[in-house]
């Protein structure tokens, strides 16, 4: 059974940093591209960042580009998302997702597996 578990969310002041983790079980994460998405109340789920299966290619939403880093540790079957200079508009539930593909995707429909999400709240 495939399971993705996010952690690392919490309450942080604007300007602070968080590192989110996505731990995978039931799949060999090295075969999967992984994406991070977020969903704020009343809004659609949106793309944040993605990394391909070997970690050689990444993509970021414009809203987080330059202050975020996605990385992976396939020994630990874990993908990380570091976000710096957090803003109140970063407040959302953050989800990780996995796709059995060599490519990375920015749309939710391309991902097969999803975690339950971790809440990030940024206070002003």
């Amino acid at each position: 059974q495939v399971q993705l578990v996010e952690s690392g969310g919490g309450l942080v002041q604007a300007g602070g940093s968080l590192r989110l983790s996505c731990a995978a079980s039931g799949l060999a994460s090295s075969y999967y591209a992984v994406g991070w998405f977020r969903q704020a109340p009343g809004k659609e789920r949106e793309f944040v960042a993605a990394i391909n299966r070997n970690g050689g290619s990444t993509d970021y939403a414009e809203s987080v580009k330059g202050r975020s880093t996605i990385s992976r540790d396939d020994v630990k079957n874990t993908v990380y998302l570091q976000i710096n200079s957090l803003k109140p508009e970063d407040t959302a539930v953050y989800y990780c997702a996995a796709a059995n593909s060599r490519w990375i995707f920015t749309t939710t429909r391309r991902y097969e597996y999803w975690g339950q999400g971790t809440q990030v709240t940024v206070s002003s």
Side-chain angles (χ1 to χ4, degrees), residues 7-87:
S7 61
L11 175 63
V12 63
Q13 287 190 330
S17 299
L18 281 176
R19 188 177 80 156
L20 307 181
S21 299
C22 172
S25 61
L27 59 81
S29 66
S30 60
Y31 288 94
Y32 287 76
V34 175
W36 282 95
F37 293 77
R38 67 187 182 187
Q39 188 165 18
K43 294 188 176 182
E44 291 189 355
R45 194 168 298 189
E46 65 176 9
F47 170 73
V48 177
I51 188 166
N52 73 338
R53 58 173 57 171
N54 66 13
S57 180
T58 59
D59 194 11
Y60 298 91
E62 286 298 321
S63 58
V64 301
K65 192 173 291 184
R67 58 188 182 96
S68 296
T69 303
I70 187 171
S71 61
R72 63 190 302 154
D73 182 339
D74 289 331
V75 173
K76 297 182 178 179
N77 254 16
T78 301
V79 172
Y80 305 98
L81 178 67
Q82 175 81 29
I83 311 177
N84 303 318
S85 303
L86 281 158
K87 307 173 183 179

